[in-house]
Amino acid sequence: MSLLKPTLHVEVSVKAGMVDRANVVQLRNDVKQWLTADFVTVQIGHDFSAELSDSRLANLIEGIEVVDYTGPPTVDGDCYHVRGIALDVQTYTLKAENERDPRRSISQADDSELAQARVLQLPSIALKDEWNSLVFDDALPARLLRYMTRMVGMMKQPGLNLSTFNWNRLCLLHGPPGSGKSTLCRALAQQLSIRLGDSFPNATLIEINTNAMLSKYFGESGKLIGATFEKITAMAQDQRALICVVMDEVETIAGSRERSTSGAECNDGMRATNQLLTALDRLRHLPNVIVLCTSNLIGAIDQAFLDRVDIKQLIPSPSPAAIYNIFRSCLNELVRSSLVDAAAMQVSSCTTTARRVVSRSTSTGSSSPAKPIKRSKTLASSSSPEPWTVISAPEIPTYSEMLVRWVNQPQSPGRRVWALAQKCEGFSGRTLRRLPILGLAMYTWGGDCSLDDAITALEAAVNQELLAKGTAHVEVKVEVE
Ligand SMILES: Nc1ncnc2c1ncn2[C@@H]1O[C@H](COP(=O)(O)OP(=O)(O)OP(=O)(O)O)[C@@H](O)[C@H]1O
Ligand SMILES: [Mg+2]
């Protein structure tokens, strides 16, 4: 296969128990045929399940998403012509935590309260939303996923002499707190298990609890690390199992040995680091193991550990465009879940005076997504036959739509959110995901809350956060009625 063969990666989520292994190939072919026959172009990120015309497929499938494109850059942005491109269709069924092989833990037999690692079968229902919840520029998660897929794929090449290459399949995500490192590690493990499902029918996530590794008993940390990695090595003996090891805050057990010898600190940390390095060297010979680590203190990590890392990736705080998309997803979720009233629309009079009127939705179903208004609509009034014109749909537009259609309309929801996003540069993803709902809780009183009210509440929460950070002397003005 050529390195540059353009490929569209399609993920098909199959309903539990609907397709056995023997019929998976047939299902993939059917999906390929359906996509090629029914579509000229497809867009990355689009879920096709609603368009499934074939009722037999619709009965088997939960979702079909075109998740990624690999190959030389094209001019059409996110849109790709289906014909003339290879379709890599992967099928998977999400595993529930309470299934036959539930989340369990690796722990010392004599100290069961202390779980050194949590074990989760992949792909897991518990991680199903993590990948799509992350917003980064330059398709950073997709790029990392490609590197790792290629890494693991190449290691499986028959006849490849592994000892020729010094390759640990070790990836370190580092960056400021709350930038999404831990979430990205788990999401990468989940996506790898789907993308590599053909080569590895079984996949397991092992999340090492680095804090639990630092034993309360002096001198025990090294032993705990050694024992945990022995168990991981034993699990990896099954060549058809992909093992994704995640070590969060890895500096806890991979701290600089120079530091621990220079100060008056005990050398337990040094033993832990030594043991970890030895364990990693052993894992290197197992082509089905991938290790993902995070740290926000890269300067505190031991040089020998850093030297073993194949991919060091800085995960920065979100850019203003990413912040816009984070706020957009939060606000649209508030609308979708009916916490914010989708039907409470901001309207303006045809005359110069603008007023707010609320139009009730006839549908009260909380689970149905809000339907965006596609065309301009006129509401009746007693004083004048056509006094009101809807100026905004009850959801936040995409970033590009906002730039094209709303950027010169400072009162439109999209433009207001964009103004806020620019103010929030430097905020962590964690803070950003909190502010829309925090704003709603702090600055509204329940009842009919429109999208404009929710944005006003978000503004107040942002100003409050800026005040707390001491970066702006702004007065928190609560304007929500
Ligand atoms: N870029 C982002 N896009 C969307 N959500 C984000 C982003 N970064 C962080 N978040 C959200 O913030 C929360 C915290 O993220 P996470 O725990 O992965 O950060 P972290 O980098 O591991 O933080 P820490 O360094 O404190 O461990 C999660 O709910 C995550 O969804
Ligand atoms: Mg973290």
Side-chain angles (χ1 to χ4, degrees), residues 327 416 420 423-424 427 435-436 438-445 452-468 474-480:
F327 282 163
R416 289 178 71 198
L420 279 176
K423 270 170 97 174
C424 293
F427 283 22
L435 292 177
L438 184 71
L440 212 59
M442 288 173 76
Y443 303 115
T444 66
W445 290 267
D452 277 313
D453 294 335
I455 298 170
T456 305
L458 173 60
E459 272 163 6
V462 165
N463 286 340
Q464 178 73 58
E465 185 69 24
L466 285 167
L467 261 184
V474 286
E475 196 184 329
V476 179
K477 267 173 83 181
V478 181
E479 290 170 345
V480 179

Side-chain angles (χ1 to χ4, degrees), residues 131-353:
W131 182 258
N132 287 333
S133 77
L134 290 168
V135 185
F136 288 105
D137 298 319
D138 311 328
L140 175 78
R143 194 154 41 83
L144 284 172
L145 179 63
R146 267 176 240 166
Y147 294 162
M148 284 174 206
T149 311
R150 292 284 290 144
M151 255 185 178
V152 179
M154 287 195 283
M155 296 301 284
K156 287 211 48 145
Q157 180 71 16
L160 180 76
N161 184 354
L162 292 182
S163 54
T164 312
F165 305 96
N166 201 303
W167 212 353
N168 297 286
R169 294 168 312 288
L170 177 56
C171 172
L172 172 67
L173 308 183
H174 62 98
S179 56
K181 302 176 293 297
S182 306
T183 312
L184 183 52
C185 275
R186 288 190 295 268
L188 277 169
Q190 172 98 337
Q191 295 310 114
L192 273 171
S193 73
I194 297 170
R195 188 73 61 88
L196 294 168
D198 265 351
S199 316
F200 302 101
N202 302 316
T204 305
L205 169 68
I206 301 173
E207 283 184 276
I208 294 188
N209 182 349
T210 50
N211 281 313
M213 289 284 179
L214 277 198
S215 169
K216 54 194 168 189
Y217 306 111
F218 179 77
E220 283 293 301
S221 304
K223 281 187 202 157
L224 285 178
I225 292 171
T228 304
F229 275 86
E230 252 169 51
K231 284 173 190 158
I232 292 172
T233 309
M235 290 169 86
Q237 296 309 310
D238 176 2
Q239 296 293 306
R240 289 165 62 75
L242 176 71
I243 309 288
C244 298
V245 180
V246 168
M247 288 192 282
D248 233 347
E249 288 155 29
V250 74
E251 71 278 355
T252 315
I253 52 170
S256 161
R257 286 168 296 177
E258 232 170 79
R259 284 194 187 185
S260 53
T261 46
S262 61
E265 288 174 48
C266 68
N267 63 2
D268 201 31
M270 185 169 157
R271 283 189 212 166
T273 306
N274 284 338
Q275 191 62 52
L276 180 64
L277 296 176
T278 316
L280 288 175
D281 286 343
R282 286 204 193 111
L283 283 190
R284 193 160 71 81
H285 302 288
L286 297 166
N288 52 338
V289 180
I290 193 152
V291 185
L292 304 162
C293 311
T294 75
S295 175
N296 40 36
L297 286 172
I298 195 171
I301 297 179
D302 191 83
Q303 280 305 320
F305 179 88
L306 288 178
D307 197 41
R308 282 165 173 76
V309 174
D310 303 308
I311 301 172
K312 295 182 192 74
Q313 178 65 55
L314 170 71
I315 309 294
S317 291
S319 66
I323 296 173
Y324 178 90
N325 282 323
I326 293 174
F327 282 163
R328 173 175 183 259
S329 73
C330 293
L331 289 166
N332 286 349
E333 176 60 19
L334 292 175
V335 170
R336 194 201 63 78
S337 65
S338 303
L339 265 174
V340 165
D341 192 344
M345 293 177 288
Q346 177 78 32
V347 297
S348 71
S349 163
C350 290
T351 64
T352 47
T353 348

